[in-house]
PDB file of all heavy atoms in Angstrom:
ATOM      1  N   ILE A   1      -6.166   7.707  -4.875  1.00 98.00           N
ATOM      2  CA  ILE A   1      -6.970   6.999  -3.887  1.00 98.00           C
ATOM      3  C   ILE A   1      -6.117   5.916  -3.235  1.00 98.00           C
ATOM      4  O   ILE A   1      -5.251   5.310  -3.870  1.00 98.00           O
ATOM      5  CB  ILE A   1      -8.250   6.380  -4.492  1.00 98.00           C
ATOM      6  CG1 ILE A   1      -7.905   5.274  -5.482  1.00 98.00           C
ATOM      7  CG2 ILE A   1      -9.133   7.428  -5.127  1.00 98.00           C
ATOM      8  CD1 ILE A   1      -9.051   4.340  -5.788  1.00 98.00           C
ATOM      9  N   ALA A   2      -6.359   5.709  -1.960  1.00 98.00           N
ATOM     10  CA  ALA A   2      -5.702   4.647  -1.211  1.00 98.00           C
ATOM     11  C   ALA A   2      -6.717   3.536  -0.980  1.00 98.00           C
ATOM     12  O   ALA A   2      -7.758   3.771  -0.361  1.00 98.00           O
ATOM     13  CB  ALA A   2      -5.183   5.177   0.120  1.00 98.00           C
ATOM     14  N   SER A   3      -6.431   2.359  -1.497  1.00 98.00           N
ATOM     15  CA  SER A   3      -7.358   1.238  -1.331  1.00 98.00           C
ATOM     16  C   SER A   3      -6.827   0.267  -0.286  1.00 98.00           C
ATOM     17  O   SER A   3      -5.639  -0.048  -0.240  1.00 98.00           O
ATOM     18  CB  SER A   3      -7.557   0.499  -2.661  1.00 98.00           C
ATOM     19  OG  SER A   3      -6.357  -0.119  -3.089  1.00 98.00           O
ATOM     20  N   VAL A   4      -7.737  -0.192   0.570  1.00 98.00           N
ATOM     21  CA  VAL A   4      -7.426  -1.224   1.554  1.00 98.00           C
ATOM     22  C   VAL A   4      -8.620  -2.175   1.608  1.00 98.00           C
ATOM     23  O   VAL A   4      -9.696  -1.857   1.125  1.00 98.00           O
ATOM     24  CB  VAL A   4      -7.154  -0.635   2.961  1.00 98.00           C
ATOM     25  CG1 VAL A   4      -6.012   0.377   2.919  1.00 98.00           C
ATOM     26  CG2 VAL A   4      -8.411   0.005   3.538  1.00 98.00           C
ATOM     27  N   THR A   5      -8.417  -3.323   2.228  1.00 97.00           N
ATOM     28  CA  THR A   5      -9.517  -4.260   2.402  1.00 97.00           C
ATOM     29  C   THR A   5     -10.163  -4.042   3.765  1.00 97.00           C
ATOM     30  O   THR A   5      -9.533  -3.518   4.692  1.00 97.00           O
ATOM     31  CB  THR A   5      -9.036  -5.714   2.282  1.00 97.00           C
ATOM     32  OG1 THR A   5      -8.014  -5.957   3.262  1.00 97.00           O
ATOM     33  CG2 THR A   5      -8.471  -5.970   0.887  1.00 97.00           C
ATOM     34  N   GLY A   6     -11.406  -4.443   3.890  1.00 95.00           N
ATOM     35  CA  GLY A   6     -12.146  -4.221   5.125  1.00 95.00           C
ATOM     36  C   GLY A   6     -11.900  -5.259   6.193  1.00 95.00           C
ATOM     37  O   GLY A   6     -12.598  -5.274   7.213  1.00 95.00           O
ATOM     38  N   ASP A   7     -10.895  -6.125   5.975  1.00 95.00           N
ATOM     39  CA  ASP A   7     -10.633  -7.198   6.933  1.00 95.00           C
ATOM     40  C   ASP A   7      -9.180  -7.190   7.420  1.00 95.00           C
ATOM     41  O   ASP A   7      -8.640  -8.217   7.811  1.00 95.00           O
ATOM     42  CB  ASP A   7     -10.947  -8.560   6.298  1.00 95.00           C
ATOM     43  CG  ASP A   7     -10.112  -8.822   5.045  1.00 95.00           C
ATOM     44  OD1 ASP A   7      -9.310  -7.952   4.639  1.00 95.00           O
ATOM     45  OD2 ASP A   7     -10.267  -9.912   4.455  1.00 95.00           O
ATOM     46  N   ALA A   8      -8.535  -5.992   7.382  1.00 96.00           N
ATOM     47  CA  ALA A   8      -7.123  -5.881   7.755  1.00 96.00           C
ATOM     48  C   ALA A   8      -6.995  -4.931   8.945  1.00 96.00           C
ATOM     49  O   ALA A   8      -6.768  -3.729   8.765  1.00 96.00           O
ATOM     50  CB  ALA A   8      -6.298  -5.381   6.571  1.00 96.00           C
ATOM     51  N   PRO A   9      -7.117  -5.441  10.166  1.00 96.00           N
ATOM     52  CA  PRO A   9      -7.211  -4.562  11.341  1.00 96.00           C
ATOM     53  C   PRO A   9      -5.896  -3.965  11.826  1.00 96.00           C
ATOM     54  O   PRO A   9      -5.898  -3.162  12.754  1.00 96.00           O
ATOM     55  CB  PRO A   9      -7.791  -5.500  12.411  1.00 96.00           C
ATOM     56  CG  PRO A   9      -7.314  -6.859  12.018  1.00 96.00           C
ATOM     57  CD  PRO A   9      -7.341  -6.857  10.517  1.00 96.00           C
ATOM     58  N   PHE A  10      -4.767  -4.334  11.186  1.00 96.00           N
ATOM     59  CA  PHE A  10      -3.472  -3.848  11.663  1.00 96.00           C
ATOM     60  C   PHE A  10      -2.770  -2.942  10.648  1.00 96.00           C
ATOM     61  O   PHE A  10      -1.551  -2.814  10.660  1.00 96.00           O
ATOM     62  CB  PHE A  10      -2.562  -5.032  11.997  1.00 96.00           C
ATOM     63  CG  PHE A  10      -3.124  -5.959  13.039  1.00 96.00           C
ATOM     64  CD1 PHE A  10      -3.557  -7.226  12.685  1.00 96.00           C
ATOM     65  CD2 PHE A  10      -3.245  -5.563  14.362  1.00 96.00           C
ATOM     66  CE1 PHE A  10      -4.081  -8.086  13.636  1.00 96.00           C
ATOM     67  CE2 PHE A  10      -3.765  -6.410  15.317  1.00 96.00           C
ATOM     68  CZ  PHE A  10      -4.193  -7.680  14.962  1.00 96.00           C
ATOM     69  N   LEU A  11      -3.506  -2.294   9.794  1.00 97.00           N
ATOM     70  CA  LEU A  11      -2.903  -1.458   8.760  1.00 97.00           C
ATOM     71  C   LEU A  11      -1.886  -0.478   9.344  1.00 97.00           C
ATOM     72  O   LEU A  11      -2.127   0.120  10.387  1.00 97.00           O
ATOM     73  CB  LEU A  11      -3.994  -0.664   8.028  1.00 97.00           C
ATOM     74  CG  LEU A  11      -4.920  -1.451   7.109  1.00 97.00           C
ATOM     75  CD1 LEU A  11      -6.057  -0.541   6.648  1.00 97.00           C
ATOM     76  CD2 LEU A  11      -4.156  -2.000   5.909  1.00 97.00           C
ATOM     77  N   PRO A  12      -0.756  -0.269   8.653  1.00 97.00           N
ATOM     78  CA  PRO A  12       0.237   0.680   9.165  1.00 97.00           C
ATOM     79  C   PRO A  12      -0.250   2.113   9.105  1.00 97.00           C
ATOM     80  O   PRO A  12      -0.963   2.506   8.175  1.00 97.00           O
ATOM     81  CB  PRO A  12       1.451   0.464   8.244  1.00 97.00           C
ATOM     82  CG  PRO A  12       0.933  -0.233   7.041  1.00 97.00           C
ATOM     83  CD  PRO A  12      -0.307  -0.967   7.437  1.00 97.00           C
ATOM     84  N   LEU A  13       0.163   2.878  10.088  1.00 97.00           N
ATOM     85  CA  LEU A  13      -0.258   4.275  10.166  1.00 97.00           C
ATOM     86  C   LEU A  13       0.524   5.166   9.196  1.00 97.00           C
ATOM     87  O   LEU A  13       0.180   6.339   9.034  1.00 97.00           O
ATOM     88  CB  LEU A  13      -0.109   4.785  11.596  1.00 97.00           C
ATOM     89  CG  LEU A  13      -0.967   4.050  12.639  1.00 97.00           C
ATOM     90  CD1 LEU A  13      -0.674   4.576  14.039  1.00 97.00           C
ATOM     91  CD2 LEU A  13      -2.451   4.176  12.311  1.00 97.00           C
ATOM     92  N   ASP A  14       1.560   4.608   8.571  1.00 98.00           N
ATOM     93  CA  ASP A  14       2.315   5.358   7.565  1.00 98.00           C
ATOM     94  C   ASP A  14       2.072   4.817   6.155  1.00 98.00           C
ATOM     95  O   ASP A  14       2.871   5.037   5.249  1.00 98.00           O
ATOM     96  CB  ASP A  14       3.813   5.334   7.886  1.00 98.00           C
ATOM     97  CG  ASP A  14       4.403   3.912   7.916  1.00 98.00           C
ATOM     98  OD1 ASP A  14       3.619   2.928   7.824  1.00 98.00           O
ATOM     99  OD2 ASP A  14       5.640   3.788   8.025  1.00 98.00           O
ATOM    100  N   LEU A  15       0.965   4.123   5.981  1.00 98.00           N
ATOM    101  CA  LEU A  15       0.678   3.471   4.697  1.00 98.00           C
ATOM    102  C   LEU A  15       0.654   4.475   3.544  1.00 98.00           C
ATOM    103  O   LEU A  15       1.382   4.330   2.556  1.00 98.00           O
ATOM    104  CB  LEU A  15      -0.670   2.740   4.776  1.00 98.00           C
ATOM    105  CG  LEU A  15      -1.120   2.052   3.481  1.00 98.00           C
ATOM    106  CD1 LEU A  15      -0.236   0.859   3.171  1.00 98.00           C
ATOM    107  CD2 LEU A  15      -2.584   1.610   3.583  1.00 98.00           C
ATOM    108  N   VAL A  16      -0.171   5.494   3.652  1.00 98.00           N
ATOM    109  CA  VAL A  16      -0.328   6.446   2.552  1.00 98.00           C
ATOM    110  C   VAL A  16       0.957   7.241   2.325  1.00 98.00           C
ATOM    111  O   VAL A  16       1.370   7.467   1.186  1.00 98.00           O
ATOM    112  CB  VAL A  16      -1.522   7.378   2.811  1.00 98.00           C
ATOM    113  CG1 VAL A  16      -1.595   8.478   1.754  1.00 98.00           C
ATOM    114  CG2 VAL A  16      -2.826   6.577   2.823  1.00 98.00           C
ATOM    115  N   ALA A  17       1.616   7.635   3.407  1.00 98.00           N
ATOM    116  CA  ALA A  17       2.848   8.418   3.266  1.00 98.00           C
ATOM    117  C   ALA A  17       3.926   7.630   2.532  1.00 98.00           C
ATOM    118  O   ALA A  17       4.572   8.150   1.604  1.00 98.00           O
ATOM    119  CB  ALA A  17       3.351   8.855   4.642  1.00 98.00           C
ATOM    120  N   ARG A  18       4.133   6.386   2.908  1.00 98.00           N
ATOM    121  CA  ARG A  18       5.193   5.595   2.277  1.00 98.00           C
ATOM    122  C   ARG A  18       4.838   5.209   0.841  1.00 98.00           C
ATOM    123  O   ARG A  18       5.690   5.244  -0.047  1.00 98.00           O
ATOM    124  CB  ARG A  18       5.495   4.346   3.102  1.00 98.00           C
ATOM    125  CG  ARG A  18       6.220   4.651   4.418  1.00 98.00           C
ATOM    126  CD  ARG A  18       6.804   3.387   5.028  1.00 98.00           C
ATOM    127  NE  ARG A  18       7.759   2.772   4.113  1.00 98.00           N
ATOM    128  CZ  ARG A  18       8.119   1.482   4.165  1.00 98.00           C
ATOM    129  NH1 ARG A  18       7.574   0.690   5.079  1.00 98.00           N
ATOM    130  NH2 ARG A  18       8.982   0.998   3.314  1.00 98.00           N
ATOM    131  N   LEU A  19       3.587   4.836   0.612  1.00 98.00           N
ATOM    132  CA  LEU A  19       3.188   4.513  -0.759  1.00 98.00           C
ATOM    133  C   LEU A  19       3.278   5.754  -1.648  1.00 98.00           C
ATOM    134  O   LEU A  19       3.710   5.668  -2.805  1.00 98.00           O
ATOM    135  CB  LEU A  19       1.765   3.949  -0.788  1.00 98.00           C
ATOM    136  CG  LEU A  19       1.553   2.564  -0.182  1.00 98.00           C
ATOM    137  CD1 LEU A  19       0.083   2.154  -0.313  1.00 98.00           C
ATOM    138  CD2 LEU A  19       2.448   1.517  -0.844  1.00 98.00           C
ATOM    139  N   GLY A  20       2.885   6.902  -1.112  1.00 98.00           N
ATOM    140  CA  GLY A  20       2.951   8.136  -1.894  1.00 98.00           C
ATOM    141  C   GLY A  20       4.376   8.506  -2.255  1.00 98.00           C
ATOM    142  O   GLY A  20       4.658   8.920  -3.389  1.00 98.00           O
ATOM    143  N   ALA A  21       5.286   8.361  -1.290  1.00 98.00           N
ATOM    144  CA  ALA A  21       6.687   8.674  -1.555  1.00 98.00           C
ATOM    145  C   ALA A  21       7.255   7.748  -2.627  1.00 98.00           C
ATOM    146  O   ALA A  21       7.999   8.185  -3.513  1.00 98.00           O
ATOM    147  CB  ALA A  21       7.495   8.560  -0.263  1.00 98.00           C
ATOM    148  N   ALA A  22       6.900   6.466  -2.554  1.00 98.00           N
ATOM    149  CA  ALA A  22       7.394   5.509  -3.549  1.00 98.00           C
ATOM    150  C   ALA A  22       6.815   5.782  -4.930  1.00 98.00           C
ATOM    151  O   ALA A  22       7.514   5.666  -5.945  1.00 98.00           O
ATOM    152  CB  ALA A  22       7.048   4.088  -3.107  1.00 98.00           C
ATOM    153  N   ARG A  23       5.543   6.160  -4.962  1.00 97.00           N
ATOM    154  CA  ARG A  23       4.912   6.457  -6.255  1.00 97.00           C
ATOM    155  C   ARG A  23       5.573   7.663  -6.912  1.00 97.00           C
ATOM    156  O   ARG A  23       5.860   7.656  -8.113  1.00 97.00           O
ATOM    157  CB  ARG A  23       3.409   6.694  -6.045  1.00 97.00           C
ATOM    158  CG  ARG A  23       2.603   6.582  -7.325  1.00 97.00           C
ATOM    159  CD  ARG A  23       1.116   6.524  -7.041  1.00 97.00           C
ATOM    160  NE  ARG A  23       0.539   7.836  -6.800  1.00 97.00           N
ATOM    161  CZ  ARG A  23       0.296   8.730  -7.761  1.00 97.00           C
ATOM    162  NH1 ARG A  23       0.633   8.483  -9.012  1.00 97.00           N
ATOM    163  NH2 ARG A  23      -0.256   9.886  -7.467  1.00 97.00           N
ATOM    164  N   ARG A  24       5.841   8.686  -6.116  1.00 97.00           N
ATOM    165  CA  ARG A  24       6.503   9.878  -6.669  1.00 97.00           C
ATOM    166  C   ARG A  24       7.932   9.569  -7.113  1.00 97.00           C
ATOM    167  O   ARG A  24       8.363   9.978  -8.194  1.00 97.00           O
ATOM    168  CB  ARG A  24       6.503  10.999  -5.627  1.00 97.00           C
ATOM    169  CG  ARG A  24       5.121  11.590  -5.366  1.00 97.00           C
ATOM    170  CD  ARG A  24       5.217  12.858  -4.529  1.00 97.00           C
ATOM    171  NE  ARG A  24       5.796  12.609  -3.217  1.00 97.00           N
ATOM    172  CZ  ARG A  24       5.101  12.232  -2.156  1.00 97.00           C
ATOM    173  NH1 ARG A  24       3.783  12.057  -2.251  1.00 97.00           N
ATOM    174  NH2 ARG A  24       5.686  12.045  -0.978  1.00 97.00           N
ATOM    175  N   ALA A  25       8.661   8.834  -6.268  1.00 97.00           N
ATOM    176  CA  ALA A  25      10.056   8.534  -6.585  1.00 97.00           C
ATOM    177  C   ALA A  25      10.177   7.661  -7.833  1.00 97.00           C
ATOM    178  O   ALA A  25      11.103   7.821  -8.627  1.00 97.00           O
ATOM    179  CB  ALA A  25      10.730   7.842  -5.398  1.00 97.00           C
ATOM    180  N   GLY A  26       9.230   6.744  -7.998  1.00 95.00           N
ATOM    181  CA  GLY A  26       9.283   5.847  -9.143  1.00 95.00           C
ATOM    182  C   GLY A  26       8.588   6.373 -10.382  1.00 95.00           C
ATOM    183  O   GLY A  26       8.660   5.752 -11.446  1.00 95.00           O
ATOM    184  N   GLY A  27       7.906   7.517 -10.247  1.00 96.00           N
ATOM    185  CA  GLY A  27       7.179   8.062 -11.381  1.00 96.00           C
ATOM    186  C   GLY A  27       6.106   7.116 -11.892  1.00 96.00           C
ATOM    187  O   GLY A  27       5.799   7.083 -13.088  1.00 96.00           O
ATOM    188  N   ALA A  28       5.527   6.326 -10.969  1.00 97.00           N
ATOM    189  CA  ALA A  28       4.546   5.308 -11.344  1.00 97.00           C
ATOM    190  C   ALA A  28       3.145   5.741 -10.934  1.00 97.00           C
ATOM    191  O   ALA A  28       2.975   6.461  -9.951  1.00 97.00           O
ATOM    192  CB  ALA A  28       4.885   3.976 -10.681  1.00 97.00           C
ATOM    193  N   PRO A  29       2.118   5.278 -11.641  1.00 98.00           N
ATOM    194  CA  PRO A  29       0.754   5.632 -11.265  1.00 98.00           C
ATOM    195  C   PRO A  29       0.226   4.834 -10.080  1.00 98.00           C
ATOM    196  O   PRO A  29      -0.801   5.181  -9.505  1.00 98.00           O
ATOM    197  CB  PRO A  29      -0.053   5.325 -12.527  1.00 98.00           C
ATOM    198  CG  PRO A  29       0.718   4.245 -13.208  1.00 98.00           C
ATOM    199  CD  PRO A  29       2.154   4.515 -12.910  1.00 98.00           C
ATOM    200  N   ILE A  30       0.926   3.746  -9.714  1.00 98.00           N
ATOM    201  CA  ILE A  30       0.462   2.872  -8.631  1.00 98.00           C
ATOM    202  C   ILE A  30       1.639   2.469  -7.756  1.00 98.00           C
ATOM    203  O   ILE A  30       2.725   2.151  -8.260  1.00 98.00           O
ATOM    204  CB  ILE A  30      -0.207   1.588  -9.172  1.00 98.00           C
ATOM    205  CG1 ILE A  30      -1.291   1.901 -10.199  1.00 98.00           C
ATOM    206  CG2 ILE A  30      -0.803   0.754  -8.033  1.00 98.00           C
ATOM    207  CD1 ILE A  30      -1.791   0.679 -10.969  1.00 98.00           C
ATOM    208  N   ALA A  31       1.425   2.478  -6.451  1.00 98.00           N
ATOM    209  CA  ALA A  31       2.357   1.852  -5.502  1.00 98.00           C
ATOM    210  C   ALA A  31       1.542   0.903  -4.640  1.00 98.00           C
ATOM    211  O   ALA A  31       0.399   1.205  -4.285  1.00 98.00           O
ATOM    212  CB  ALA A  31       3.053   2.893  -4.637  1.00 98.00           C
ATOM    213  N   MET A  32       2.115  -0.270  -4.335  1.00 98.00           N
ATOM    214  CA  MET A  32       1.369  -1.275  -3.568  1.00 98.00           C
ATOM    215  C   MET A  32       2.171  -1.755  -2.375  1.00 98.00           C
ATOM    216  O   MET A  32       3.405  -1.712  -2.367  1.00 98.00           O
ATOM    217  CB  MET A  32       1.006  -2.454  -4.454  1.00 98.00           C
ATOM    218  CG  MET A  32       2.203  -3.194  -5.014  1.00 98.00           C
ATOM    219  SD  MET A  32       1.723  -4.544  -6.109  1.00 98.00           S
ATOM    220  CE  MET A  32       3.305  -4.886  -6.901  1.00 98.00           C
ATOM    221  N   ALA A  33       1.461  -2.218  -1.370  1.00 98.00           N
ATOM    222  CA  ALA A  33       2.090  -2.704  -0.149  1.00 98.00           C
ATOM    223  C   ALA A  33       2.607  -4.122  -0.333  1.00 98.00           C
ATOM    224  O   ALA A  33       2.106  -4.899  -1.155  1.00 98.00           O
ATOM    225  CB  ALA A  33       1.091  -2.653   1.005  1.00 98.00           C
ATOM    226  N   ALA A  34       3.628  -4.453   0.460  1.00 98.00           N
ATOM    227  CA  ALA A  34       4.186  -5.808   0.474  1.00 98.00           C
ATOM    228  C   ALA A  34       4.658  -6.118   1.886  1.00 98.00           C
ATOM    229  O   ALA A  34       4.990  -5.212   2.662  1.00 98.00           O
ATOM    230  CB  ALA A  34       5.342  -5.935  -0.514  1.00 98.00           C
ATOM    231  N   SER A  35       4.674  -7.410   2.218  1.00 98.00           N
ATOM    232  CA  SER A  35       5.199  -7.843   3.516  1.00 98.00           C
ATOM    233  C   SER A  35       5.447  -9.343   3.446  1.00 98.00           C
ATOM    234  O   SER A  35       4.748 -10.066   2.738  1.00 98.00           O
ATOM    235  CB  SER A  35       4.217  -7.530   4.654  1.00 98.00           C
ATOM    236  OG  SER A  35       3.008  -8.269   4.514  1.00 98.00           O
ATOM    237  N   GLY A  36       6.468  -9.782   4.166  1.00 96.00           N
ATOM    238  CA  GLY A  36       6.737 -11.213   4.224  1.00 96.00           C
ATOM    239  C   GLY A  36       6.932 -11.863   2.872  1.00 96.00           C
ATOM    240  O   GLY A  36       6.583 -13.030   2.691  1.00 96.00           O
ATOM    241  N   GLY A  37       7.482 -11.131   1.910  1.00 96.00           N
ATOM    242  CA  GLY A  37       7.709 -11.679   0.576  1.00 96.00           C
ATOM    243  C   GLY A  37       6.476 -11.737  -0.298  1.00 96.00           C
ATOM    244  O   GLY A  37       6.508 -12.305  -1.391  1.00 96.00           O
ATOM    245  N   ARG A  38       5.367 -11.133   0.152  1.00 97.00           N
ATOM    246  CA  ARG A  38       4.122 -11.142  -0.622  1.00 97.00           C
ATOM    247  C   ARG A  38       3.719  -9.714  -0.975  1.00 97.00           C
ATOM    248  O   ARG A  38       3.873  -8.798  -0.163  1.00 97.00           O
ATOM    249  CB  ARG A  38       2.976 -11.795   0.172  1.00 97.00           C
ATOM    250  CG  ARG A  38       3.156 -13.262   0.433  1.00 97.00           C
ATOM    251  CD  ARG A  38       1.978 -13.805   1.234  1.00 97.00           C
ATOM    252  NE  ARG A  38       0.702 -13.513   0.602  1.00 97.00           N
ATOM    253  CZ  ARG A  38      -0.302 -12.878   1.189  1.00 97.00           C
ATOM    254  NH1 ARG A  38      -0.182 -12.431   2.427  1.00 97.00           N
ATOM    255  NH2 ARG A  38      -1.442 -12.690   0.536  1.00 97.00           N
ATOM    256  N   GLU A  39       3.195  -9.554  -2.169  1.00 98.00           N
ATOM    257  CA  GLU A  39       2.649  -8.266  -2.576  1.00 98.00           C
ATOM    258  C   GLU A  39       1.140  -8.268  -2.340  1.00 98.00           C
ATOM    259  O   GLU A  39       0.469  -9.261  -2.619  1.00 98.00           O
ATOM    260  CB  GLU A  39       2.962  -7.999  -4.048  1.00 98.00           C
ATOM    261  CG  GLU A  39       4.457  -7.819  -4.304  1.00 98.00           C
ATOM    262  CD  GLU A  39       4.786  -7.658  -5.783  1.00 98.00           C
ATOM    263  OE1 GLU A  39       3.944  -8.048  -6.636  1.00 98.00           O
ATOM    264  OE2 GLU A  39       5.888  -7.157  -6.089  1.00 98.00           O
ATOM    265  N   HIS A  40       0.635  -7.172  -1.804  1.00 98.00           N
ATOM    266  CA  HIS A  40      -0.784  -7.069  -1.467  1.00 98.00           C
ATOM    267  C   HIS A  40      -1.450  -6.159  -2.500  1.00 98.00           C
ATOM    268  O   HIS A  40      -1.465  -4.928  -2.356  1.00 98.00           O
ATOM    269  CB  HIS A  40      -0.936  -6.539  -0.046  1.00 98.00           C
ATOM    270  CG  HIS A  40      -0.169  -7.351   0.967  1.00 98.00           C
ATOM    271  ND1 HIS A  40      -0.549  -8.629   1.326  1.00 98.00           N
ATOM    272  CD2 HIS A  40       0.971  -7.085   1.651  1.00 98.00           C
ATOM    273  CE1 HIS A  40       0.312  -9.111   2.207  1.00 98.00           C
ATOM    274  NE2 HIS A  40       1.247  -8.192   2.419  1.00 98.00           N
ATOM    275  N   PHE A  41      -1.989  -6.773  -3.529  1.00 98.00           N
ATOM    276  CA  PHE A  41      -2.439  -6.040  -4.710  1.00 98.00           C
ATOM    277  C   PHE A  41      -3.507  -4.998  -4.417  1.00 98.00           C
ATOM    278  O   PHE A  41      -3.555  -3.955  -5.071  1.00 98.00           O
ATOM    279  CB  PHE A  41      -2.981  -7.017  -5.757  1.00 98.00           C
ATOM    280  CG  PHE A  41      -1.961  -7.953  -6.328  1.00 98.00           C
ATOM    281  CD1 PHE A  41      -2.357  -9.142  -6.930  1.00 98.00           C
ATOM    282  CD2 PHE A  41      -0.612  -7.658  -6.285  1.00 98.00           C
ATOM    283  CE1 PHE A  41      -1.431 -10.010  -7.481  1.00 98.00           C
ATOM    284  CE2 PHE A  41       0.329  -8.524  -6.823  1.00 98.00           C
ATOM    285  CZ  PHE A  41      -0.082  -9.702  -7.419  1.00 98.00           C
ATOM    286  N   THR A  42      -4.385  -5.275  -3.474  1.00 97.00           N
ATOM    287  CA  THR A  42      -5.506  -4.356  -3.237  1.00 97.00           C
ATOM    288  C   THR A  42      -5.233  -3.356  -2.117  1.00 97.00           C
ATOM    289  O   THR A  42      -6.108  -2.561  -1.777  1.00 97.00           O
ATOM    290  CB  THR A  42      -6.800  -5.138  -2.935  1.00 97.00           C
ATOM    291  OG1 THR A  42      -6.559  -6.060  -1.870  1.00 97.00           O
ATOM    292  CG2 THR A  42      -7.265  -5.899  -4.160  1.00 97.00           C
ATOM    293  N   THR A  43      -4.026  -3.401  -1.554  1.00 98.00           N
ATOM    294  CA  THR A  43      -3.604  -2.367  -0.603  1.00 98.00           C
ATOM    295  C   THR A  43      -2.611  -1.497  -1.353  1.00 98.00           C
ATOM    296  O   THR A  43      -1.426  -1.804  -1.443  1.00 98.00           O
ATOM    297  CB  THR A  43      -2.967  -2.985   0.653  1.00 98.00           C
ATOM    298  OG1 THR A  43      -3.900  -3.898   1.244  1.00 98.00           O
ATOM    299  CG2 THR A  43      -2.609  -1.917   1.666  1.00 98.00           C
ATOM    300  N   ALA A  44      -3.122  -0.442  -1.940  1.00 98.00           N
ATOM    301  CA  ALA A  44      -2.319   0.296  -2.913  1.00 98.00           C
ATOM    302  C   ALA A  44      -2.786   1.740  -3.035  1.00 98.00           C
ATOM    303  O   ALA A  44      -3.850   2.113  -2.540  1.00 98.00           O
ATOM    304  CB  ALA A  44      -2.392  -0.398  -4.281  1.00 98.00           C
ATOM    305  N   LEU A  45      -1.957   2.515  -3.713  1.00 98.00           N
ATOM    306  CA  LEU A  45      -2.252   3.910  -4.002  1.00 98.00           C
ATOM    307  C   LEU A  45      -2.347   4.045  -5.516  1.00 98.00           C
ATOM    308  O   LEU A  45      -1.436   3.635  -6.243  1.00 98.00           O
ATOM    309  CB  LEU A  45      -1.119   4.785  -3.452  1.00 98.00           C
ATOM    310  CG  LEU A  45      -1.399   6.235  -3.095  1.00 98.00           C
ATOM    311  CD1 LEU A  45      -2.501   6.341  -2.052  1.00 98.00           C
ATOM    312  CD2 LEU A  45      -0.129   6.892  -2.572  1.00 98.00           C
TER     313      LEU A  45
END
């Protein structure tokens, strides 16, 4: 599942693709978004 918040109107159009690739490459159950030196815990796969 891809989780996002309902107050983020500029979500990237490659969000799921990039998170999915990172999750597969890292062999991890979760991948999360980050920007500007911050991790966005609830924008994740």
